[in-house]
Amino acid sequence: MTTVTPAHSPASTGKRLPAEARPRRRSPSARRRSTPLTIAMLAVLAYFLLPLFWLLIASTKSTQDLFNSFGLWFSHAPQLLSNIKATFTQDDGVYGRWLLNTVLYAGVSALGAALLAAAAGYGFAKYRFRGHGAAFNLILGAIMIPTTALAIPTYLLFAKAGLVNTPWAVILPSLISPFGLYLMRIYAEDAIPDSLIEAARMDGAGELRIFLTIALRLLAPGLVTVILFTLVATWNNYFLPLIMLNDPNLYPITVGLSSWAAQAQNGGAGSSSDMLALVVTGSLISIIPLVLAFLMLQRYWQSGLATGGVKQ
């Protein structure tokens, strides 16, 4: 059976159909849009961004305007710069000290926790010793224990050591990160080839030198991931500094703003007291360093999570 081709068809004349007449093929990269999924994503986006938007708007208001104006829009007389100035000058500039304290606590804790987690994770990933499995399972179990449950025992231990009401009372407990150790072990198993370690040993390098000069460089994305997690956890920590510190000059931002909020409640919410406006403005200022840290380190954070969670 033969197929008859019309005399004037494009196939018989050797001519191609114009672009308008040719059937369109869907690009493989084109994906079907889901309206329910889009609505759900917009709802999630609003859930996370709406409190930040409210905080930004509220920081431009006085205490009286916080109660008398619409919460999601500016008042008739925005005063953001005045609130920022009042925040840093209140109580002889104690807010600036709280901010520096928080940077110290969070920065030292994040770097120390990342280094300790990298060393321990590298050891669990590349060395085998007696009790290896039991020790690692114990660390996994420690992840399930809430930190608030350990606050009182930690306070008793530090009271015996004479470290209560010192910066070490906040820094030392924050150096221990079971989740960071687990993450670094998973990351080190894939990021550091055993052949590279053996080659370094054959060249005469010691174990410490291998870790410092080779392993740490390969573990850099994972280190940044642990740094970010610990930085956020220590920056937002409230209960541990609350029970460990008695001197207001040693407070981090969380405890300091809480003390201001208590003063605002005791003094009332009238126009004569602007303490509540200072609490709101101080809260806005306190999140700016975290946002900047994530913007600068997000590429390392994302690569660290991807590499540590996916086996090659």
Side-chain angles (χ1 to χ4, degrees):
M1 183 177 181
T2 59
T3 302
V4 179
T5 304
H8 299 288
S9 65
S12 63
T13 59
K15 297 181 180 180
R16 299 180 60 185
L17 288 172
E20 296 80 4
R22 280 180 290 182
R24 296 182 179 180
R25 295 182 180 181
R26 174 174 289 184
S27 173
S29 60
R31 299 178 180 178
R32 185 181 302 174
R33 294 183 178 180
S34 174
T35 302
L37 182 60
T38 302
I39 295 176
M41 292 301 298
L42 291 176
V44 172
L45 186 65
Y47 174 80
F48 286 104
L49 294 183
L50 193 60
L52 295 178
F53 180 73
W54 178 90
L55 184 62
L56 178 62
I57 298 298
S59 62
T60 65
K61 301 179 180 181
S62 63
T63 300
Q64 185 178 8
D65 290 336
L66 285 174
F67 294 94
N68 298 333
S69 62
F70 180 59
L72 295 179
W73 197 244
F74 300 96
S75 62
H76 63 280
Q79 54 180 41
L80 176 61
L81 295 180
S82 299
N83 286 344
I84 294 176
K85 181 179 178 180
T87 301
F88 279 98
T89 57
Q90 179 71 23
D91 295 336
D92 297 328
V94 72
Y95 181 82
R97 182 180 293 274
W98 293 342
L99 187 61
L100 293 178
N101 291 340
T102 307
V103 172
L104 174 65
Y105 300 155
V108 175
S109 299
L111 293 177
L115 291 176
L116 290 177
Y122 172 78
F124 275 108
K126 299 303 177 181
Y127 296 98
R128 292 297 179 267
F129 49 87
R130 182 175 299 179
H132 177 276
F136 190 71
N137 290 333
L138 182 63
I139 293 172
L140 290 181
I143 298 177
M144 306 302 173
I145 302 176
T147 55
T148 53
L150 301 176
I152 300 302
T154 304
Y155 173 80
L156 297 177
L157 290 175
F158 277 68
K160 289 291 185 180
L163 295 177
V164 173
N165 203 31
T166 66
W168 295 111
V170 179
I171 294 175
L172 290 180
S174 303
L175 295 178
I176 308 302
S177 176
F179 176 74
L181 190 154
Y182 170 75
L183 180 65
M184 292 306 298
R185 184 211 170 168
I186 300 302
Y187 188 86
E189 287 180 348
D190 290 336
I192 306 174
D194 294 336
S195 58
L196 184 61
I197 298 176
E198 293 297 330
R201 289 171 179 167
M202 293 179 63
D203 289 340
E207 300 300 326
L208 181 60
R209 183 179 179 184
I210 293 174
F211 173 73
L212 295 177
T213 60
I214 298 176
L216 278 182
R217 294 183 180 182
L218 297 176
L219 294 175
L223 279 171
V224 174
T225 304
V226 178
I227 287 174
L228 283 175
F229 284 156
T230 310
L231 182 70
V232 174
T234 308
W235 193 282
N236 296 327
N237 198 353
Y238 171 75
F239 189 61
L240 180 64
L242 178 65
I243 66 174
M244 289 291 186
L245 303 176
N246 299 322
D247 186 0
N249 291 325
L250 295 177
Y251 284 171
I253 287 180
T254 52
V255 181
L257 291 180
S258 177
S259 65
W260 276 4
Q263 295 179 29
Q265 292 177 357
N266 295 333
S271 59
S272 59
S273 175
D274 287 334
M275 189 63 70
L276 187 59
L278 302 186
V279 173
V280 174
T281 306
S283 301
L284 176 66
I285 298 173
S286 68
I287 68 173
I288 294 177
L290 289 181
V291 173
L292 294 178
F294 267 86
L295 291 178
M296 292 187 297
L297 301 176
Q298 63 175 341
R299 57 175 182 174
Y300 299 104
W301 176 56
Q302 293 171 356
S303 63
L305 286 180
T307 307
V310 180
K311 287 282 187 180
Q312 297 291 339

